Amino acid sequence: GFGDISGARALAIFGDSVTTDHISPAGAIKANSPAGKYLQELGVTPADFNSYGSRRGNDRVMLRGTFANVRIKNLMVSPTEGGHTRHQPDGEEMTIYDAAMQYKAENKPLVIFAGKEYGTGSSRDWAAKGTALMGVKAVVTESFERIHRSNLVGMGVLPLQFKEGQSAASFGLDGTETFDLYGLDGDVTPRQDVTLTIIRENGEKIDISLILRIDTPIEIEYYKSGGILPYVLRQLIA
């Protein structure tokens, strides 16, 4: 359900035009990727990996494949490409999957930042599912592709949008910050403003206003339930 978020970390800061294939690849599984290592631990040889698409019934492979596209560009580790990030506050570089699991163990909520047209491409349900399973509570972008935005709500992830002319770059975000989100603990309405507090490493705080991209009253109900599936199950029980 709705509630304020405090002490969140950025799992990744992406640029424009991140597609659902960047978020949840369908192609080849690389041997040194989290999914590749996992399959090898189970005794599967790289010759038998097949593709993410063929293994989309396996949540353990698909979770490890989330944000693992070799061409995805996380600005926190630029110029490195592929599914890497920095775990904070130590700044250690690791895969996005490993960082997400470490943050989960530390009980740290996560946020993804991105630019324009986030989530274009085929409406791959694993793109939203993998994001949710990584512990990402909110995705903050300059704009969303329509279907991916509604899929995020359906998985219980908050889609948030920068105000016109603002972006991760305009606030100089580099991933060393922590983030608090306010304005989600009372009556929440579609497309209302919420406040994101950026706390820089030196302690400096900036409050910015974001648009809650939960666009309709029924989406508010889905999110309150934790997503579409819990919502439907509650309706059936009732």
Side-chain angles (χ1 to χ4, degrees), residues 27-31 33 35-56 58 61:
I29 300 171
K30 292 274 182 285
S33 68
K37 286 177 182 161
Y38 170 74
L39 289 169
Q40 286 174 90
E41 280 164 19
L42 297 178
V44 181
T45 64
D48 295 328
F49 279 178
N50 220 314
S51 65
Y52 287 109
S54 69
R55 291 187 182 268
R56 65 179 175 272
N58 185 331
V61 169

Side-chain angles (χ1 to χ4, degrees), residues 6 9 12 14 18 23 28 49 53 67 82 89 97 123 131 142 144-145 152 155 187 199 218 232 238:
S6 66
R9 287 283 184 183
F14 300 121
V18 171
I23 302 166
F49 279 178
F67 302 113
Y97 170 77
S123 69
T131 301
E142 291 171 63
F144 285 95
E145 189 279 331
L152 286 171
M155 288 305 303
D187 272 341
I199 303 125
I218 188 66
V232 171

Side-chain angles (χ1 to χ4, degrees), residues 149-210:
R149 182 204 62 77
S150 68
N151 285 350
L152 286 171
V153 177
M155 288 305 303
V157 179
L158 286 172
L160 299 166
Q161 192 166 322
F162 286 109
K163 295 285 174 91
E164 192 65 43
Q166 298 187 332
S167 66
S170 71
F171 296 107
L173 301 185
D174 63 11
T176 58
E177 308 82 2
T178 52
F179 303 93
D180 297 340
L181 204 55
Y182 298 105
L184 291 166
D185 54 352
D187 272 341
V188 180
T189 54
R191 298 188 73 109
Q192 72 169 51
D193 280 3
V194 296
T195 302
L196 179 73
T197 304
I198 300 165
I199 303 125
R200 300 201 193 274
E201 236 179 343
N202 63 9
E204 181 198 351
K205 290 187 181 187
I206 306 170
D207 283 348
I208 66 172
S209 191
L210 300 173

Side-chain angles (χ1 to χ4, degrees), residues 45-177:
T45 64
D48 295 328
F49 279 178
N50 220 314
S51 65
Y52 287 109
S54 69
R55 291 187 182 268
R56 65 179 175 272
N58 185 331
D59 62 307
R60 289 176 185 168
V61 169
M62 296 306 287
L63 170 57
R64 284 164 177 79
T66 305
F67 302 113
N69 186 307
V70 292
R71 279 182 293 284
I72 201 164
K73 294 182 178 72
N74 176 8
L75 305 174
M76 287 166 60
V77 289
S78 185
T80 305
E81 287 189 14
H84 286 260
T85 193
R86 285 186 196 284
H87 174 272
Q88 301 294 356
D90 51 60
E92 190 189 338
E93 194 173 317
M94 58 181 75
T95 66
I96 288 178
Y97 170 77
D98 287 336
M101 294 306 107
Q102 196 168 326
Y103 282 127
K104 195 170 268 191
E106 296 162 359
N107 232 347
K108 282 267 174 242
L110 298 173
V111 184
I112 293 265
F113 290 93
K116 296 177 183 68
E117 294 178 356
Y118 182 81
T120 54
S122 60
S123 69
R124 214 164 274 174
D125 60 339
W126 260 109
K129 206 180 294 184
T131 301
L133 289 173
M134 284 212 156
V136 174
K137 303 297 178 209
V139 178
V140 185
T141 73
E142 291 171 63
S143 63
F144 285 95
E145 189 279 331
R146 182 175 63 83
I147 296 170
H148 186 63
R149 182 204 62 77
S150 68
N151 285 350
L152 286 171
V153 177
M155 288 305 303
V157 179
L158 286 172
L160 299 166
Q161 192 166 322
F162 286 109
K163 295 285 174 91
E164 192 65 43
Q166 298 187 332
S167 66
S170 71
F171 296 107
L173 301 185
D174 63 11
T176 58
E177 308 82 2

